[in-house]
Structure formats: structure tokens, C-alpha cells
Amino acid sequence: MDGLDLQVASDSFRVICPDLPGYGGSAKPEGGHEQYAKRVTAATMVALMRHLGHEHFSLVGHDRGALVAFRAALDHPDAVDHISSRSSTTCPSG
């Protein structure tokens, strides 16, 4: 989220902006490359939210985080109420 979006959102919602494991300021996950799978990362993010006391929540994801948010919604429909994807994809014409 950029600064303006974060300010607007935080006026009405509790905003938590973790780095995905192995990205930004977070530590690399233990184990091999399978620890970077979207399903594993989604489960980690859901566990974090539950640890912080949020059994139900909405997700906003950008770039890889958008795919992780989508995976979290598919795998944890009991926890994820809404998702917003802040990414775009291009498709070749034809």
C-alpha cells in the first residue's frame, strides 16, 4: 500500500502490513524453495492474523502478495472475508 492508501485505510480499519516470508525485512523461511509456495505463504499469513487475534479479516495484496491473498481466500474461506488485488497481468493478444 502506498502512504495515502495506508492513511485512508487506517482511519477506518486496523491495518497490518507484514512482509511476506523472505521478502523485505523478513527472515528467509527455513527449508527449501517449497517454503516460498503461495499455499505455504498464505497459511503463514493466516496464522499471523490469527496470532494477532483476527479470526476473520480482509486482505489486500500487491504483486506476489495478490496471488498469496487469492490462495489464502481459496484455502481459508472461514477466515478471509474479502480480498483486493493490487496487481495487473498482461495477456498476449490472439
Side-chain angles (χ1 to χ4, degrees):
M1 297 181 84
D2 63 37
L4 179 59
D5 289 343
L6 185 57
Q7 177 61 44
V8 170
S10 64
D11 287 344
S12 301
F13 302 96
R14 181 169 185 202
V15 178
I16 301 166
C17 299
D19 287 324
L20 297 177
Y23 291 82
S26 70
K28 287 182 169 182
E30 299 276 327
H33 69 277
E34 62 277 352
Q35 296 304 308
Y36 287 92
K38 291 168 197 71
R39 179 165 274 144
V40 173
T41 304
T44 300
M45 294 294 107
V46 170
L48 170 66
M49 294 303 289
R50 288 181 171 152
H51 175 76
L52 295 173
H54 301 284
E55 292 299 318
H56 302 277
F57 47 87
S58 298
L59 294 172
V60 176
H62 175 262
D63 195 29
R64 182 175 179 80
L67 299 173
V68 171
F70 187 68
R71 185 79 256 170
L74 290 173
D75 290 352
H76 305 276
D78 57 314
V80 179
D81 295 327
H82 303 93
I83 63 169
S84 175
S85 172
R86 302 218 20 163
S87 292
S88 62
T89 58
T90 58
C91 298
S93 60

